Amino acid sequence: MKNIDSISHVTGRSLYVDDIPVRTGTLYGAVFASPVAHGIVHGLDVSKAEKINGVEAILTAADIPGENQIGGIIPDEVLFADGKVEFNGQPMALVVARDELTARKAVAAIKADIEALEPVTDAREACEKDMLLVPPSTFQTGDVESAWDQCAHIFKGRTESGGQEHLYIEMQGSYAYLMENGHVKIRSSTQGPTHVQKAAANVLGIAMHQVEVDVTRLGGGFGGKEDQATAYACMAALAATKLEKPVKIILHRMDDMRMTGKRHPYSADYVIGLSKDLKILAYKATFYQNGGAAADLSPAILDRSLFHSTNTYYIPNSKVTAYSCKTNLPPNTAFRGFGGPQGMFIIESAIAKAAHELNMPARMIQQKNFLKEGDHFQYGQVAKNVNIGKCYQRADEEYHIARIEKDVEKFNEANQWRKQGMALMPICFGISFTNKSMNQARSLVHVYQDGSVGVSTGAIEMGQGVNTKILQVAARTLSISPDKVKVETTNTTRVSNTSPTAASSGADLNGKATEMACKQLAKRLRRTAATLLSEKPANITLQDEQVFVNGVKSQLCWTELVKKAHLDRVCLTEQGHYATPMVDFDKEKSKGHPFAYHVYGLAVVVAEIDCLRGNYHFEKVLMVHDFGNSMNHSIDMGQVEGALAQGLGWMSMEEVAYDKEGKLLSNNLSTYKIPDIYSAPREVQCVPLPTKGPKEAILRSKAVGEPPLMYGIGGYFALQNAIKAFNPDHVPDFNAPMTMEKVLMRLYQ
Ligand code: MTE
Ligand code: LUZ
Ligand code: MOS
């Protein structure tokens, strides 16, 4: 089935926050943000700005009736700076004016009196100074210290991976207005409507039931709106409440890039020990996460780095410690993979280092250490339905890995100034929020008198196709045409206490809840049909909008049945509540069963570099991906391709740069390059691994949103191998992204 949004997207009819027709009297907000990264605020001179014709108000921390606090996991993040600033781009005031241009003009007229302090932008430096957002976290298994003696080879090194700008096409935005009796309604570009509701209630000093958050869809989120849409929603709600007028805030691209957090850069030290026959016996690492100025989601991201620190490998003895470091940068946040990619880059670097020192392809080591059925992960969970071996086998059948390796060698022999490199990237990604309580969702399903159906859930549509999948679940469970089903906006008044749409689990959680509600409705309608046809309910089935009795089609159709049920006063509304079974994790011991299941896959990546110029392209990315039993092949393939491009971008060209003063240098699209169609790999193939899929996945169709991003990590190592083919003296270092400049320098090192 096609994505239900495809027509409205290409015809420009899809509604984003900025497309909502504004109400009469709407005012526009623009944010004044700190021009320095660290300092004591002595005052804010708004005298000039206030006098500009059309400026209605300038709001600061002093105007907040409730608490100046929007922190998600821990309460350490103010809405407006109060007394001090901790990053360049930190909101200090909101100008509200009759039109947007005036608001922005007034922002430019504000002067802040800030006594600058020394900023810290480096994670290791912050760690040395004991500036941590939360206490460090350690995962371990076996006894790493006593394992070194058994190792034939021990290698150590350091890795760096950079940040990544989400670059959602729709910027952060919100539109808030008052309803009756102090009730405020917020339209927000958020992945987490309940978080917005809770934070706005806290800022306004009112109860959550006074705040309604409604989301139609996002123009991309990628994790950047899991937590960070909240500030702008709270500001709009605050201004709307204060001024009793509708208020809209839409960030401009450069402001969005400067003010919001990104993927966390990580610095890490590792030691890896192997036996003579290449088994990884021991792995020890320390991660330094650059968290920015507030915790945001950093502690949960730190944990996921640990969960994925051994990727798809079984390592009997390991110990990994991670520090979440507080720096004077915008609070870094969720980004597709949520710390997993950072953790995986480090172990893959350690393996690449070992392979280099032992003068062999990394795949010899990778393959030897693949997880097997019944192995336990570092965090205690026993691995079930392990598919990595099967993915490798399938990839070899389909793509002939040894032949590709040979072709690369031949290419390199035949070409002096162009070199290719190949790398394998196996992945294993755990599906579930690692915070147990977040693994729940609700769905509210109405069957209307005419037989049409409306479904509301907590899922946010952000381009990933979750609404299409939910619609498919409802249509399939009720056995009606997809045309009869509508997926409603996500609204906290209809479906409450939602988890953000994140962790790739939006379709699983909300789909399962929808399936439960629809099953109940179907059961009830079968009972009605049984009464109408004087049959036993057990003999009734619903199929393709018809009632069947003992497998024989009756005269009664879906529409007629619904109509009769309503006349008979049968309830045609149902809600479903789903809580993922089995998941549990003991944070104290760092052991448990945090994931409902894992997603596996393997990519073969071939890169080709121009050794005179240092520029490159990806020649092939050939994947085998474990979709389970995919419920929507075109959507899932779209997710694989998009995530791959995003992963390759992170590893190769996207370079977030701050200066020493903590000012963002890569603050627009001329200084921050993301992959476009010209940098897409020349050949992309993805074959699904034929499997039944786990029952924990919606219709046995596995979560797909984040895992394929990590295939992109193979891009780094493919480039590194191409460099080695040209410059045998190159000593691999692990400092992502591998930009063209870096390639050129390494070719002639
Ligand atoms: N795909 C599109 N087109 N746009 C997005 O913003 N976000 C990704 C992924 N795919 C995203 C996307 C991220 S970070 C996650 S967690 C999942 O979608 C969330 O949706 P799901 O849980 O429904 O897979
Ligand atoms: N968000 C979150 C996530 O709050 N917890 C998670 O475990 C998670 N994992 C991936 C992406 N977002
Ligand atoms: Mo995705 S990083 O879980 O929003």
Side-chain angles (χ1 to χ4, degrees):
M1 185 181 161
K2 247 204 227 148
N3 188 321
I4 53 171
D5 285 340
S6 47
I7 305 265
S8 67
H9 280 357
V10 297
T11 54
R13 289 181 173 90
S14 298
L15 292 179
Y16 302 88
V17 175
D18 205 13
D19 301 317
I20 298 165
V22 292
R23 300 175 160 226
T24 316
T26 292
L27 302 175
Y28 296 82
V31 182
F32 176 81
S34 173
V36 299
H38 192 198
I40 299 165
V41 181
H42 292 300
L44 207 58
D45 179 4
V46 297
S47 55
K48 272 206 188 116
E50 265 173 348
K51 288 199 197 89
I52 294 175
N53 191 18
V55 171
E56 299 271 326
I58 298 174
L59 305 176
T60 64
D63 296 293
I64 292 174
E67 216 189 330
N68 182 19
Q69 182 52 245
I70 57 165
I73 297 178
I74 53 175
D76 71 343
E77 188 175 353
V78 291
L79 179 63
F80 290 120
D82 194 7
K84 61 177 178 183
V85 286
E86 295 194 292
F87 66 93
N88 183 324
Q90 180 174 6
M92 299 183 74
L94 181 76
V95 174
V96 189
R98 253 174 301 177
D99 59 80
E100 203 190 329
L101 217 63
T102 306
R104 296 179 66 81
K105 218 160 82 185
V107 162
I110 295 176
K111 289 267 165 326
D113 177 8
I114 301 172
E115 178 188 334
L117 301 172
E118 187 83 34
V120 175
T121 59
D122 180 76
R124 288 188 191 244
E125 185 188 336
C127 192
E128 265 160 36
K129 294 182 171 154
D130 237 4
M131 290 160 56
L132 297 181
L133 289 163
V134 288
S137 195
T138 296
F139 278 23
Q140 57 185 319
T141 191
D143 181 356
V144 78
E145 294 311 335
S146 68
W148 301 119
D149 284 348
Q150 301 152 41
C151 297
H153 314 284
I154 298 175
F155 306 105
K156 347 176 146 185
R158 178 172 166 158
T159 77
E160 312 284 339
S161 64
Q164 187 175 23
E165 163 63 41
H166 301 86
L167 221 88
Y168 25 66
I169 295 176
E170 177 201 27
M171 262 68 72
Q172 302 280 5
S174 61
Y175 184 38
Y177 41 88
L178 290 181
M179 306 298 280
E180 289 181 322
N181 305 320
H183 167 179
V184 57
K185 183 160 176 171
I186 307 174
R187 316 288 291 267
S188 164
S189 66
T190 180
Q191 291 174 240
T194 291
H195 184 212
V196 165
Q197 181 191 21
K198 198 170 169 183
N202 190 47
V203 165
L204 297 176
I206 58 180
M208 279 171 81
H209 72 204
Q210 289 286 78
V211 182
E212 176 185 352
V213 181
D214 191 276
V215 185
T216 303
R217 70 163 59 65
L218 314 186
F222 308 111
K225 296 169 180 171
E226 185 173 336
D227 226 37
Q228 300 215 352
T230 305
Y232 309 100
C234 290
M235 288 178 203
L238 172 68
T241 311
K242 280 261 159 188
L243 303 170
E244 299 190 12
K245 293 258 179 68
V247 175
K248 180 165 158 176
I249 303 172
I250 307 280
L251 296 191
H252 279 209
R253 179 64 73 188
M254 283 173 80
D255 294 331
D256 189 305
M257 290 179 86
R258 168 181 166 224
M259 287 160 54
T260 66
K262 315 188 185 310
R263 184 188 292 286
H264 295 76
Y266 274 54
S267 182
D269 300 310
Y270 65 82
V271 192
I272 189 169
L274 297 94
S275 70
K276 247 198 331 239
D277 61 350
L278 304 179
K279 285 268 183 207
I280 303 172
L281 297 181
Y283 178 60
K284 190 175 170 182
T286 310
F287 299 174
Y288 301 90
Q289 176 197 57
N290 192 329
D296 190 274
L297 293 162
S298 297
I301 292 162
L302 194 76
D303 283 345
R304 198 172 270 276
S305 300
L306 291 168
F307 281 112
H308 295 91
S309 61
T310 57
N311 193 9
T312 46
Y313 308 110
Y314 175 65
I315 304 179
N317 306 288
S318 65
K319 181 173 182 183
V320 184
T321 298
Y323 294 91
S324 183
C325 309
K326 178 170 172 165
T327 58
N328 297 110
L329 297 180
N332 285 318
T333 193
F335 196 134
R336 209 170 193 171
F338 206 72
Q342 290 95 321
M344 289 189 195
F345 177 70
I346 298 159
I347 181 78
E348 292 300 329
S349 296
I351 291 173
K353 171 79 174 173
H356 173 78
E357 297 293 339
L358 299 170
N359 198 22
M360 61 173 64
R363 100 172 146 98
M364 312 281 282
I365 302 172
Q366 290 172 313
Q367 226 183 319
K368 265 266 155 64
N369 292 281
F370 282 157
L371 204 65
K372 293 197 179 61
E373 195 68 19
D375 283 343
H376 65 85
F377 288 96
Q378 196 184 24
Y379 45 88
Q381 182 164 345
V382 174
K384 292 232 175 79
N385 301 315
V386 175
N387 283 333
I388 189 59
K390 287 185 205 157
C391 286
Y392 186 90
Q393 230 173 25
R394 186 74 194 86
D396 207 20
E397 280 164 23
E398 185 74 22
Y399 308 125
H400 310 285
I401 294 170
R403 195 195 296 164
I404 297 174
E405 216 166 38
K406 273 264 147 52
D407 288 348
V408 166
E409 267 170 40
K410 269 193 235 151
F411 180 93
N412 289 343
E413 276 161 25
N415 291 279
Q416 189 185 354
W417 297 108
R418 299 193 73 85
K419 297 290 175 192
Q420 291 189 344
M422 185 193 99
L424 290 192
M425 185 62 204
I427 61 161
C428 168
F429 195 79
I431 301 302
S432 289
F433 286 97
T434 60
N435 175 346
K436 181 180 176 178
S437 69
M438 294 172 82
N439 295 294
Q440 55 172 315
R442 273 159 302 285
S443 173
L444 181 68
V445 181
H446 298 317
V447 179
Y448 293 99
Q449 292 170 50
D450 64 353
S452 65
V453 173
V455 183
S456 298
T457 73
I460 300 287
E461 175 59 48
M462 50 185 141
Q464 86 280 38
V466 70
N467 280 0
T468 305
K469 289 186 173 180
I470 285 169
L471 185 147
Q472 283 181 278
V473 169
R476 204 182 291 189
T477 313
L478 296 170
S479 201
I480 57 176
S481 157
D483 300 341
K484 283 214 158 45
V485 185
K486 175 173 172 237
V487 179
E488 308 288 355
T489 65
T490 315
N491 182 299
T492 54
T493 301
R494 259 178 283 120
V495 177
S496 63
N497 305 323
T498 61
S499 287
T501 298
S504 304
S505 59
D508 273 359
L509 295 174
N510 296 281
K512 289 270 189 186
T514 301
E515 188 181 34
M516 288 167 80
C518 290
K519 275 187 175 162
Q520 284 304 318
L521 285 165
K523 191 170 158 194
R524 210 175 288 156
L525 285 166
R526 280 200 304 272
R527 232 184 288 136
T528 304
T531 312
L532 289 171
L533 299 171
S534 310
E535 282 285 343
K536 284 202 199 102
N539 299 340
I540 305 285
T541 47
L542 299 175
Q543 218 177 297
D544 301 332
E545 302 192 5
Q546 280 290 331
V547 176
F548 282 66
V549 181
N550 292 318
V552 182
K553 194 170 168 178
S554 76
Q555 290 297 319
L556 190 59
C557 72
W558 165 265
T559 315
E560 201 51 34
L561 171 61
V562 168
K563 196 164 125 194
K564 296 238 164 80
H566 175 65
L567 292 174
D568 202 26
R569 300 187 295 176
V570 172
C571 173
L572 293 175
T573 288
E574 188 55 70
Q575 77 128 9
H577 173 87
Y578 179 73
T580 314
M582 297 272 287
V583 293
D584 205 5
F585 187 69
D586 183 338
K587 265 191 86 78
E588 295 301 310
K589 297 197 181 101
S590 295
K591 295 283 177 203
H593 186 106
F595 300 120
Y597 58 89
H598 291 80
V599 171
Y600 295 88
L602 183 91
V604 184
V605 185
V606 177
E608 184 177 321
I609 56 183
D610 171 337
C611 303
L612 286 173
R613 298 176 182 84
N615 52 10
Y616 56 73
H617 68 264
F618 295 105
E619 182 64 22
K620 305 177 201 285
V621 179
L622 309 173
M623 295 163 278
V624 173
H625 186 80
D626 170 20
F627 294 97
N629 179 21
S630 173
M631 68 184 287
N632 192 316
H633 187 67
S634 62
I635 285 179
D636 286 354
M637 282 300 291
Q639 287 293 294
V640 168
E641 290 177 6
L644 169 69
Q646 217 163 22
L648 286 171
W650 173 51
M651 281 282 112
S652 64
M653 60 170 60
E654 298 184 38
E655 197 167 29
V656 175
Y658 290 93
D659 68 12
K660 286 233 159 23
E661 302 304 313
K663 181 175 171 223
L664 184 66
L665 298 172
S666 50
N667 66 348
N668 62 42
L669 290 173
S670 66
T671 48
Y672 188 77
K673 180 85 183 90
I674 70 156
D676 54 20
I677 193 64
Y678 300 105
S679 36
R682 303 261 164 102
E683 181 188 353
V684 175
Q685 284 193 53
C686 177
V687 296
L689 184 75
T691 55
K692 186 162 100 179
K695 60 180 189 315
E696 291 79 10
I698 183 64
L699 303 176
R700 296 188 183 264
S701 179
K702 283 189 173 184
V704 68
E706 295 170 285
L709 180 131
M710 284 149 271
Y711 293 136
I713 297 171
Y716 186 91
F717 298 101
L719 286 167
Q720 191 168 66
N721 289 335
I723 294 167
K724 279 172 63 176
F726 181 79
N727 177 6
D729 297 334
H730 173 60
V731 179
D733 57 342
F734 305 96
N735 189 341
M738 185 70 95
T739 57
M740 291 181 182
E741 298 92 303
K742 281 192 195 157
V743 169
L744 189 63
M745 288 189 282
R746 279 154 185 72
L747 286 169
Y748 297 97
Q749 194 176 43

